Amino acid sequence: MTALTGDKSPVTLLKEKEVKFLEHVKYEHLIAGTTAGTVATLILHPLDLVKIRFAIHDGIHGTPKYSSIANAFVTIHRSEGFQGLYKGVKPNICGAGASWGLYFFFYNSIKNFIQGGNVNKPLGAGYHLLAASQAGFTTLLLTNPIWVVKTRLCLQFSNTDKPNSYNGMLDCLAKIYKTSGLKGYYKGLVPGIFGVSHGAVQFMAYEEMKNNYQHYYDLPISQKLGTLEYLTFSASSKLIAVLVTYPYQVVRARLQNQHYSYKGSLDCLKKIAKHEGWKGFYKGLGTNLIRVIPATMITFLVYENISHLLLTRKNSNDKPSEP
């Protein structure tokens, strides 16, 4: 009957959809995103470490307090040495490389699928927000364990007590599993899910800025822009996203902190509000902006150039040779 009517079975339709989606998947975005995230992390990790330490200081527990960003660098260097500024750098590189690589990979695959393979088809802000949200949620589920490890290694102070000390990334992974099981790898997941909105807002703003610029100058959407444009759009979009969503990062860092614990996200929110007021939700914001704005500028600039190079090379290789 199926053959006579020309109708296709649900299994056949599902397989065709899978094939069509895979046609829009390009590994070039994964390579470019991973490279970009790694480069930015290597350059700016010390600022990330200081930001986390500012974020987890609540005035109640005996964690180190720094009077300024400069004081934090001097104090950490004096008490923990130069290597102290790079505590947690390995999982940070793994996390940033994997996160940016997967994010760009999933985001562009979803966006390309919505565009039907036409990279010059403009999408509205809603579609950009949808694609970025889906990409962010998938990436978060895959990389949250790495971020838990990175946070805990960054929070190893010079006077760290033995039960909460780790000898590296693998040791940290093993001890988290021993004490908390698999759920230990997903501490801070709930605020992390809310944090998906951060990437969604950033990518939406970035894409809208690029599209409006290209529309104004009557350029194709796939047209490669200059360095100044990429730096300006990436910095502006990041600033918008940080100001809107920063509090979740404070909550997430505190839930992942090994030195003291909360009953959950709601308990953490209540205690921050009670003991620190609204300012507590923005602790480490200055350090974060100093870190993430340059990091985003470096990441997007490296990503745009590498992805354009790889895709241009692929397209030229895919063209049939002249007879």
Side-chain angles (χ1 to χ4, degrees):
M1 180 66 69
T2 300
L4 292 174
T5 60
D7 294 333
K8 297 179 180 179
S9 68
V11 174
T12 302
L13 290 172
L14 181 60
K15 288 182 178 179
E16 288 183 355
K17 287 182 178 180
E18 290 177 352
V19 171
K20 287 181 179 179
F21 180 76
L22 290 175
E23 289 176 353
H24 306 298
V25 174
K26 294 181 173 60
Y27 74 90
E28 290 83 1
H29 295 295
L30 178 63
I31 294 175
T34 301
T35 303
T38 300
V39 171
T41 301
L42 281 172
I43 296 173
L44 297 166
H45 176 79
L47 279 170
D48 193 19
L49 179 138
V50 171
K51 184 268 294 187
I52 290 175
R53 294 198 176 184
F54 271 121
I56 61 97
H57 179 74
D58 60 359
I60 303 173
H61 300 84
T63 52
K65 181 181 180 181
Y66 311 108
S67 59
S68 65
I69 297 173
N71 174 254
F73 276 107
V74 172
T75 304
I76 293 171
H77 184 270
R78 184 185 299 130
S79 60
E80 303 171 50
F82 178 77
Q83 65 270 24
L85 294 170
Y86 276 88
K87 281 183 176 179
V89 69
K90 290 181 180 179
N92 201 13
I93 288 175
C94 293
S99 292
W100 280 113
L102 291 171
Y103 203 112
F104 278 115
F105 177 70
F106 289 132
Y107 174 74
N108 283 282
S109 297
I110 295 169
K111 187 178 79 168
N112 197 255
F113 179 72
I114 296 173
Q115 291 173 314
N118 180 8
V119 295
N120 286 311
K121 179 182 178 181
L123 297 177
Y127 280 118
H128 289 141
L129 196 65
L130 175 64
S133 297
Q134 292 176 333
F137 182 70
T138 305
T139 300
L140 174 66
L141 290 178
L142 294 174
T143 60
N144 197 77
I146 301 175
W147 294 123
V148 174
V149 172
K150 171 237 176 175
T151 298
R152 295 198 172 191
L153 291 179
C154 284
L155 294 177
Q156 291 208 113
F157 311 113
S158 57
N159 60 345
T160 299
D161 50 329
K162 290 295 182 181
N164 289 328
S165 64
Y166 307 104
N167 294 320
M169 186 174 175
L170 294 178
D171 181 58
C172 187
L173 283 167
K175 287 182 177 177
I176 290 174
Y177 181 77
K178 183 178 180 180
T179 57
S180 307
L182 287 175
K183 66 179 182 180
Y185 295 138
Y186 285 91
K187 284 194 173 183
L189 180 65
V190 174
I193 292 174
F194 285 108
V196 168
S197 62
H198 176 93
V201 170
Q202 179 184 347
F203 270 68
M204 179 189 70
Y206 181 73
E207 292 280 18
E208 288 300 299
M209 289 178 190
K210 281 205 311 178
N211 286 359
N212 288 332
Y213 178 88
Q214 288 159 326
H215 176 73
Y216 181 81
Y217 287 101
D218 197 24
L219 299 171
I221 292 178
S222 59
Q223 174 75 40
K224 185 177 182 295
L225 303 180
T227 298
L228 181 60
E229 285 79 11
Y230 287 136
L231 292 177
T232 302
F233 298 152
S234 59
S236 301
S237 61
K238 190 65 175 181
L239 179 60
I240 293 170
V242 168
L243 293 177
V244 172
T245 65
Y246 184 76
Y248 97 87
Q249 296 187 44
V250 174
V251 175
R252 188 181 187 189
R254 294 195 181 188
L255 289 175
Q256 293 174 346
N257 179 19
Q258 69 268 34
H259 300 292
Y260 48 89
S261 61
Y262 299 92
K263 296 177 182 178
S265 299
L266 186 59
D267 179 53
C268 185
L269 286 167
K270 288 180 178 178
K271 287 182 177 177
I272 293 174
K274 180 180 179 180
H275 297 289
E276 304 164 68
W278 69 268
K279 292 182 179 179
F281 293 108
Y282 286 91
K283 281 193 171 180
L285 177 62
T287 309
N288 191 54
L289 287 174
I290 293 173
R291 180 189 68 85
V292 299
I293 297 297
T296 301
M297 294 168 73
I298 294 170
T299 300
F300 275 76
L301 181 62
V302 173
Y303 163 76
E304 292 284 8
N305 282 282
I306 292 181
S307 62
H308 185 269
L309 176 65
L310 293 175
L311 290 170
T312 300
R313 181 175 297 178
K314 178 184 178 181
N315 292 334
S316 63
N317 290 336
D318 288 344
K319 288 182 180 180
S321 58
E322 294 292 334

